[in-house]
């Protein structure tokens, strides 16, 4: 598989992708390759092509598709899409909410005594 394709479909670091790509290549072939820094920059460029446009303000921010998913689970729980100063965005996952809900009865109240200044 080509290094550019692997850069788009994996989350491996550019250094790791570079190492995988050159492993097993002859020394004479390695001499013909662009510099390592250039190849790593190409890997990074392949990834950033699919990045969404940076919004001008919070109102224009859109969190959609793959950008709202982490480890195959939706992590955008709520977005009211309101005006910039009123917007509420809640990140988390359903599985983490379940863990939190199940842990609350077993939590004990802790009182911290703060020293006076």
């Amino acid at each position: 598989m080509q290094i550019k394709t692997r850069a788009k479909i994996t989350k491996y670091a550019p250094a790791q992708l570079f190492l995988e790509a050159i492993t097993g290549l002859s020394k004479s072939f390695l001499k013909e390759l662009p510099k390592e820094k250039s190849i790593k920059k190409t890997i990074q460029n392949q990834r950033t092509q699919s990045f969404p446009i940076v919004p001008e303000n919070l109102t224009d921010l859109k969190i959609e598709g793959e950008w709202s998913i982490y480890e195959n689970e939706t992590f955008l729980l709520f977005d009211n899409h309101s005006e910039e100063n009123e917007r509420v965005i809640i990140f988390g996952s359903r599985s983490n909410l379940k863990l939190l809900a199940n842990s609350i009865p077993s939590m004990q109240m802790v009182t911290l005594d703060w020293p006076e200044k």
Side-chain angles (χ1 to χ4, degrees):
M1 185 181 307
Q2 286 189 346
I3 196 166
K4 287 181 180 181
T5 303
R6 297 231 346 116
K8 288 180 184 178
I9 64 172
T10 69
K11 293 184 180 182
Y12 295 133
Q16 186 173 354
L17 291 174
F18 174 77
L19 184 62
E20 287 177 5
I22 64 165
T23 300
L25 297 178
S26 68
K27 288 184 181 181
S28 61
F29 190 78
L30 289 173
K31 289 179 184 177
E32 301 298 319
L33 287 176
K35 293 187 178 196
E36 179 179 350
K37 188 175 183 177
S38 174
I39 293 173
K40 289 178 180 178
K41 184 68 176 166
T42 299
I43 292 168
Q44 193 60 38
N45 288 342
Q46 289 300 310
R47 291 190 171 150
T48 58
Q49 284 178 359
S50 64
F51 285 7
I53 296 170
V54 176
E56 296 277 329
N57 54 55
L58 192 56
T59 306
D60 294 339
L61 176 67
K62 291 182 175 40
I63 306 167
E64 306 171 321
E66 67 178 300
W67 302 102
S68 65
I69 298 171
Y70 179 73
E71 293 185 353
N72 297 321
E73 191 173 6
T74 300
F75 75 86
L76 177 62
L77 297 176
F78 178 79
D79 185 352
N80 69 350
H81 301 283
S82 187
E83 296 298 316
E84 189 167 345
N85 293 336
E86 303 290 326
R87 189 152 184 195
V88 176
I89 302 172
I90 301 174
F91 296 100
S93 67
R94 299 267 180 227
S95 58
N96 284 342
L97 285 176
K98 287 178 186 175
L99 286 171
L100 179 63
N102 291 335
S103 68
I104 290 174
S106 64
M107 291 176 58
Q108 296 179 359
M109 295 299 290
V110 176
T111 303
L112 297 175
D113 292 325
W114 296 100
E116 303 234 357
K117 290 186 177 182

